[in-house]
Amino acid sequence: MQCREVYRAAAGGLLRDPRRNPVPARYRYPRKAERGASGSRRRWALMGAGVTALVIVVAVGAFFILREGSPPIDPADRAAVETFTRDVIDVEIMRERVLDEFERIGIDIRTTEFAIVFSTLESVIPEQERLAEEMRSIDSPSNVTALAHTLFVDSYERELEGYNELNKVAGQAQSAFPDSTARRLRRLDGYHSATARIRAANRSRERAYEELRDLLGRVGMTLEEISVAN
């Protein structure tokens, strides 16, 4: 026993005792790391093949879509959308004049005189009633324009309701505060309800124009080109 220990000491540790200084696993099991690297390469190869197949499918689909082109435009729908748009533009031009007159006071009540509020609204309300009727009477010969028509009608009717309510509140304010200014009506609850209707009307008009632009795009037209031609 002592001879073996002396021999190992003399050999400078060239001989290993596996119980005291075992060989590292990477030397004892060299194939384990190789198997892990091989599996990783296979996974990457499969992922690359999947991506390549997806790209090929998309490219082939795009090729057939471009070759076939866009679906044909229905001439009846195109004519309906164009006629509807021209009618809407005509009414909208008249509305701009009414809106310019209303801006004398605006929803923030820019005047201190009750007389100016009443005279402005007494002029604006009948004109707005006529415009709302004009918008309702626009012929919608195709179902494709039905939603846009409904949204435009809603915007005109809400605007009219706002003007009427604002006129009513102005009368209440003048009765309650005869020696005050017209801006006093902004403290009444009815004022906030009236202005909320007018703001809601503007939102309906924005949605109506979004729908109209979408319709025109489907039939290969734009609102700008019809406005210029109108």
Side-chain angles (χ1 to χ4, degrees):
M1 183 69 174
Q2 291 179 351
C3 292
R4 284 198 298 271
E5 292 177 354
V6 171
Y7 178 75
R8 281 197 295 269
L14 293 177
L15 297 178
R16 294 177 180 271
D17 184 350
R19 293 171 300 175
R20 296 184 180 181
N21 191 14
V23 177
R26 64 177 178 273
Y27 297 122
R28 286 186 286 123
Y29 307 107
R31 295 185 178 277
K32 184 176 181 180
E34 293 176 3
R35 287 196 300 270
S38 176
S40 178
R41 286 194 295 270
R42 283 196 298 272
R43 284 194 297 272
W44 280 107
L46 290 173
M47 290 175 62
V51 171
T52 302
L54 179 61
V55 170
I56 292 172
V57 170
V58 171
V60 171
F63 169 76
F64 282 109
I65 291 174
L66 292 174
R67 188 180 69 175
E68 293 175 1
S70 301
I73 297 172
D74 187 337
D77 285 346
R78 181 185 175 91
V81 172
E82 182 177 1
T83 301
F84 173 77
T85 303
R86 292 185 185 280
D87 291 341
V88 166
I89 291 173
D90 288 341
V91 181
E92 283 284 276
I93 290 172
M94 292 186 286
R95 175 189 170 270
E96 287 297 324
R97 298 172 192 154
V98 174
L99 189 62
D100 288 342
E101 187 171 0
F102 176 70
E103 284 302 307
R104 291 178 61 200
I105 57 173
I107 60 175
D108 54 349
I109 312 301
R110 299 194 184 104
T111 180
T112 60
E113 302 293 331
F114 276 108
I116 295 177
V117 173
F118 290 128
S119 64
T120 299
L121 290 173
E122 285 171 2
S123 174
V124 163
I125 289 173
E127 287 298 314
Q128 186 68 20
E129 288 177 343
R130 184 174 65 85
L131 292 178
E133 182 58 35
E134 288 279 347
M135 186 59 73
R136 283 191 291 266
S137 65
I138 288 178
D139 187 22
S140 185
S142 173
N143 289 333
V144 296
T145 60
L147 177 57
H149 189 203
T150 299
L151 291 170
F152 274 114
V153 169
D154 180 71
S155 71
Y156 276 72
E157 290 179 344
R158 288 193 184 199
E159 210 160 37
L160 176 60
E161 291 170 357
Y163 294 157
N164 278 319
E165 194 164 350
L166 194 60
N167 191 48
K168 180 180 178 181
V169 176
Q172 294 172 347
Q174 188 182 43
S175 298
F177 313 105
D179 298 326
S180 186
T181 67
R183 292 181 181 175
R184 190 64 181 258
L185 69 89
R186 293 186 299 186
R187 299 186 181 182
L188 302 182
D189 292 339
Y191 165 79
H192 300 288
S193 175
T195 55
R197 291 179 187 275
I198 296 173
R199 292 189 175 96
N202 291 330
R203 291 193 294 271
S204 290
R205 180 172 288 102
E206 290 173 3
R207 292 196 298 271
Y209 271 110
E210 288 176 4
E211 174 67 15
L212 184 58
R213 290 182 184 277
D214 184 60
L215 286 175
L216 290 166
R218 292 182 212 168
V219 297
M221 305 179 74
T222 65
L223 182 61
E224 289 72 21
E225 67 184 49
I226 295 181
S227 299
V228 171
N230 211 44

